[in-house]
Amino acid sequence: MPATRLMPTDEATDLIELTREICLKELAPQVDEAERARVFPEATFRTLGRAGLLSLPYPEEFGGAGQPYEVYLQVVEEIASAWMSVAVGVSVHSLTAHPVATFGTREQQETLLEGMLSGEQLGAYCLSEPLAGSDIASMTTRATRTDDGWSLKGTKAWISHAGHADYYTTFARTSDDGSKGLSTFIVPGDAAGLTFAEPERKMGLHCDPVAQVMFDDVTVDGARLVGREGDGMKMALSALDAGRLGVAAAATGLAQSALDVAAEYATERQQFGRRIADFQGLAFLLADMEAAVTSARATYLHAARLKDAGRGFTKEAAVAKLVATDAAMRVTTDAVQVLGGAGYTEDFPLERYMREAKVTQIFEGTNQIQRVVIARQLLSR
């Protein structure tokens, strides 16, 4: 059943209803076949773009919808409840526009954001490298000055939309000054020297292609250096706070779907002349699943409301990511248990949900890193 929501405005309520309609009519009918075929859902992203759902948290003056983050995240959750791969893609795309929207010059915002927020472009976020994951400052991809701008050389890893994106928000080293030597560039998807490895063979999220992106002396115009040289680390960390909330919302939507399937099955399946839902042991398991989903939603909404109010939310974003993704893993696992042997088959989507939940504990900073962030924030007062 749909999540119970208290939206801040009538417009936000209408957005949720629009999202649910698109999910019901456009996403849900194709997700199972598409995930088995491992196809990139380009047409689905175009549909969401035309509906204005790829630009929700950005200013209207640049082509966004001007919606609070708490509204945007609830849209992401609704999409995840229908198709997790697409919800992750929406979150990634939003992340790619963050550096320009937050740190870019006025000219860059006017020039670049229109395309990013139009719904006609899809972005990729190039931060991680084969030997630089959580340790961002150790990245080795380098940008060297040229007469016309910059030349990028190096390899990025675990990049969603690799080979499909229209632009790549890329972090590269412009000096050897540690964390202060990183800068941010917007690289066109058709840039010469930009190539892609074969997609990773992942456990789940098969419609979210992830691959290495190789920069072989890729020339980038000087105007595509976002903001100031050396501010890349600041931009990356700022974007990750927001991105962690996107993952938290998506994980919550996935968990909600697993709970819905399990609850429906429990009211239909009978053993010993009774619905299995009438057995207290199983009913309590479902109750714990509901509590986990509701708690996850509350944590990400709290962090989002702090962000919308202009207050710090680094700790709360890490808490939300940790709580929501751990909940998704637990709820999807328990949902398989509710269905018993049936839950272990491909006749139901729960085995896919369980596989998809696992990566949410890993990307946008592992949950071990979230604990480091939380402890550091908590103890630095």
Side-chain angles (χ1 to χ4, degrees):
M1 60 184 297
T4 301
R5 302 195 184 280
L6 183 62
M7 305 305 293
T9 63
D10 290 340
E11 182 182 7
T13 299
D14 291 341
L15 275 172
I16 289 295
E17 292 304 318
L18 171 63
T19 304
R20 286 175 172 171
E21 181 180 359
I22 292 174
C23 287
L24 179 64
K25 294 182 178 179
E26 303 287 342
L27 275 63
Q30 60 174 313
V31 57
D32 291 332
E33 182 178 349
E35 286 290 335
R36 282 193 290 268
R38 301 180 181 227
V39 297
F40 181 67
E42 181 177 354
T44 300
F45 284 116
R46 302 305 179 201
T47 296
L48 295 175
R50 286 192 296 270
L53 301 182
L54 294 183
S55 59
L56 290 177
Y58 291 104
E60 292 179 284
E61 64 177 315
F62 300 125
Q67 289 297 312
Y69 223 69
E70 69 163 298
V71 173
Y72 156 69
L73 291 177
Q74 290 183 84
V75 167
V76 170
E77 184 193 335
E78 290 287 340
I79 295 171
S81 70
W83 195 342
M84 184 64 171
S85 289
V86 173
V88 170
V90 171
S91 179
V92 168
H93 176 73
S94 180
L95 201 62
T96 66
H98 179 87
V100 175
T102 308
F103 299 96
T105 65
R106 180 73 183 191
E107 182 179 359
Q108 288 175 329
Q109 292 169 345
E110 292 175 346
T111 302
L112 297 173
L113 282 181
E114 181 179 358
M116 292 176 171
L117 305 180
S118 66
E120 295 301 316
Q121 293 185 4
L122 192 66
Y125 194 75
C126 294
L127 179 62
S128 294
E129 296 183 2
L131 298 179
S134 299
D135 183 10
I136 299 171
S138 68
M139 73 169 58
T140 58
T141 297
R142 183 168 288 274
T144 305
R145 282 190 181 275
T146 65
D147 292 339
D148 300 323
W150 299 83
S151 177
L152 273 63
K153 192 174 187 64
T155 299
K156 295 295 182 177
W158 307 108
I159 308 304
S160 289
H161 307 158
H164 299 275
D166 297 291
Y167 64 90
Y168 294 80
T169 299
T170 303
F171 296 83
R173 181 164 297 287
T174 49
S175 81
D176 294 321
D177 191 13
S179 63
K180 297 180 181 179
L182 308 181
S183 300
T184 310
F185 301 85
I186 305 300
V187 181
D190 59 358
L194 189 65
T195 58
F196 313 96
E198 287 295 314
E200 303 289 350
R201 299 173 61 188
K202 302 194 277 50
M203 181 187 296
L205 296 181
H206 291 148
C207 290
D208 173 29
V210 169
Q212 289 189 351
V213 178
M214 282 80 76
F215 299 82
D216 186 8
D217 294 325
V218 174
T219 299
V220 180
D221 187 274
R224 286 178 171 262
L225 166 68
V226 181
R228 296 183 304 180
E229 182 181 344
D231 279 351
M233 175 65 87
K234 179 170 64 175
M235 296 183 197
L237 295 179
S238 173
L240 283 175
D241 282 345
R244 283 166 180 161
L245 293 184
V247 171
T252 303
L254 183 66
Q256 180 69 63
S257 281
L259 172 59
D260 290 344
V261 172
E264 182 178 4
Y265 185 88
T267 60
E268 295 176 352
R269 170 73 167 167
Q270 293 200 0
Q271 289 288 279
F272 306 103
R274 302 165 61 188
R275 304 181 311 168
I276 63 172
D278 294 330
F279 292 93
Q280 188 179 74
L282 193 139
F284 279 11
L285 180 61
L286 289 167
D288 286 342
M289 293 161 67
E290 167 65 25
V293 174
T294 301
S295 298
R297 184 174 296 118
T299 59
Y300 87 66
L301 284 175
H302 173 59
R305 287 163 183 158
L306 288 175
K307 174 175 168 56
D308 288 333
R311 296 174 59 179
F313 67 102
T314 295
K315 173 170 65 70
E316 288 76 12
V319 169
K321 200 273 184 181
L322 173 65
V323 169
T325 60
D326 280 355
M329 191 72 251
R330 183 170 65 255
V331 169
T332 55
T333 302
D334 287 346
V336 170
Q337 188 72 21
V338 169
L339 271 66
Y344 198 66
T345 71
E346 293 183 0
D347 295 333
F348 291 87
L350 293 178
E351 58 84 27
R352 171 165 60 82
Y353 293 167
M354 184 176 172
R355 288 185 285 107
E356 291 174 339
K358 183 59 205 173
V359 76
T360 67
Q361 296 177 305
I362 299 172
F363 59 19
E364 298 292 354
T366 67
N367 282 8
Q368 286 69 36
I369 287 294
Q370 303 313 311
R371 289 175 169 87
V372 171
V373 173
I374 294 165
R376 183 179 297 148
Q377 292 282 316
L378 182 66
L379 302 175
S380 63
R381 297 176 180 179

